Each structure stands twice: as C-alpha cells, then as structure tokens.
C-alpha cells in the first residue's frame, strides 16, 4: 500500500503537456516536499527532480516540479515518445521515520 | 562517476536463506545512506530500509522490520540485504539506491531479481 497517492495512468498527445500529481499529508509532502523518479519498462528508476525542485545534470528542462500544500506535481512539456514511462514520487515521512513512495503513474504518449 | 553494482539474479526455494549485495564506487561510501527498494512483478516501488555505512545506523520501513536484515561492509564499499527464510512472496526485483543530499534515490543499482519457488 503506497504512502503517497498518484493517479494510475495519464494519457496525452505528442508535444502536449502532462501534469502528474502526488498527494500526501503534512507529515510528508506537505512539510518535506517530494522527489520524482522515472522508470522505463525493464530498467531501474532514474532520478528526475529533487524535493527542492532541482534537476540533476542531464535531465531535460522539459521536466519541472512544484508543490502546493500536500500535493506535489511534475509537469512535462513538449511530450516525446521517450517520455512514455512510469513516474513515481517519493518523500520522507516524519511520522513513520521512513521514505515513502507513491503508487506510480503510467504516462502514455499518444 | 557514481555507480552501484548489484549481485546477480537468484533462484531459491522457500525456507532458504539469501544475501544479495550492492557495491558502491565513485563516491565516499561511508558518508551517504544507502538502502533497498522492492518492486514486485507489475507493481510499484516499496522502500524497505536504509543504512549509514559510516556507523551502521539502520532504519527499516515498518512493513519490512523483522523480515529482512540490512548491513554494510565499509571496507569493501558494499551494502547487503539478507533473508533468513525466504517465502514465495519475496519474489521480486530488489534495487539498492543511494540517499543523496536531499532525497532518496539519486543513484540506483541495476536491480537483482530474486525468484523463490519450490
């Protein structure tokens, strides 16, 4: 059972913009923010954005993260076929003293 | 270049023990937390626990406390995940990942597939 809530699937057209959401509570996303990971089928996850909304080198500017209250969002602009993947959010939960993940969102690029 | 290299796939029978490994390189192994994530077939990521190799301080997810043991040998920059008695439900891909300055998972291993079947 995931600690954070993500929609199971999102579908968008090529070159469109997708916004993926991740909802937690005041013990995790609301106070700590959320990081984002991308996982292509058959590959390990890849770090996309920190909870401070910093992107590692090599990650496209098309990926941007934000937060409002207990909900974090990942916006992907100019969708490309290679963006089709599973996306996970993660956050430190101060009440559990543990990292928690969302259940993941499968992004389909039509 | 930071790298985490995991041990190879394992096929075990229920009740057997197992220890898988994750070797870190390209960074100071003793000054970053490193931990384990389970991904069952077709499912999402589950955080299992984490260890600080510098002093072996360990934290477990409540869901995995008592089910597995996380350890590290800082002399060879290697973290471990261990089971004393495997169950069929332990069949999954297991990833190690480093906790960076802000977040968990800034670098990931390639994964170790564990299959438990009679």
């Amino acid at each position: 059972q995931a600690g954070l809530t993500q929609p199971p699937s999102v579908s968008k057209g090529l070159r469109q913009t997708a916004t993926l959401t991740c909802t937690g509570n005041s013990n995790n996303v609301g106070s700590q923010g959320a990081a984002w990971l991308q996982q292509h089928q058959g590959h390990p996850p890849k770090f996309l954005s920190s909870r401070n909304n910093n992107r590692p080198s090599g990650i496209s500017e098309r990926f941007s993260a934000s937060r409002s209250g207990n909900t974090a969002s990942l916006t992907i602009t100019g969708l490309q076929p290679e963006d089709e993947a599973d996306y996970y959010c993660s956050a430190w939960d101060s009440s559990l003293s543990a990292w928690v993940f969302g259940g993941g969102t499968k992004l389909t690029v039509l | 270049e930071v790298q985490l290299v995991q041990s190879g796939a394992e096929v075990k029978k229920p009740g057997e023990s197992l220890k898988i490994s994750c070797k870190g390189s390209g960074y100071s192994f003793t000054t970053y937390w490193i931990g384990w994530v389970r991904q069952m077939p077709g499912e999402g990521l589950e955080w299992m626990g984490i260890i600080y190799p510098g002093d072996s301080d360990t934290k477990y997810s409540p869901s995995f406390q008592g089910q597995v043991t996380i350890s590290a040998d800082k002399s060879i920059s290697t973290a471990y995940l261990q089971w004393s008695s495997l169950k069929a439900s332990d069949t999954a891909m297991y990833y190690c990942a480093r906790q960076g300055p802000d977040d968990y998972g800034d670098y990931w291993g390639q994964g170790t597939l564990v299959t438990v079947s009679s």
Side-chain angles (χ1 to χ4, degrees), chain B residues 39-112:
Chain B
Q39 187 167 38
M40 300 179 79
E43 300 296 323
L45 306 174
E46 299 174 90
W47 187 81
M48 301 176 72
I50 202 164
I51 188 167
Y52 190 75
D55 61 8
S56 293
D57 186 16
T58 309
K59 305 179 191 297
Y60 291 93
S61 162
S63 300
F64 290 94
Q65 179 83 46
Q67 308 304 307
V68 295
T69 301
I70 293 171
S71 61
D73 184 339
K74 61 185 179 183
S75 69
I76 54 172
S77 301
T78 300
Y80 300 97
L81 178 64
Q82 183 174 359
W83 295 260
S84 58
S85 181
L86 286 160
K87 302 184 282 286
S89 57
D90 292 317
T91 294
M93 181 70 82
Y94 293 87
Y95 293 104
C96 65
R98 192 185 79 163
Q99 179 175 317
D102 295 317
D103 299 282
Y104 181 75
D106 64 345
Y107 289 92
W108 292 72
Q110 82 277 20
T112 296

Side-chain angles (χ1 to χ4, degrees), chain A residues 70-87:
Chain A
N70 294 335
T71 297
S73 299
L74 177 71
T75 298
I76 312 169
T77 58
L79 282 169
Q80 299 298 308
E82 60 266 28
D83 297 332
E84 190 161 289
D86 294 322
Y87 291 83

Side-chain angles (χ1 to χ4, degrees), chain A residues 30-54:
Chain A
S31 57
Q32 310 283 339
W36 289 90
L37 304 160
Q38 177 192 60
Q39 186 180 32
H40 287 105
Q41 182 71 29
H43 291 269
K46 178 181 179 181
F47 192 73
L48 281 184
S49 173
S50 76
R51 53 183 165 165
N52 295 320
N53 302 326
N54 295 318

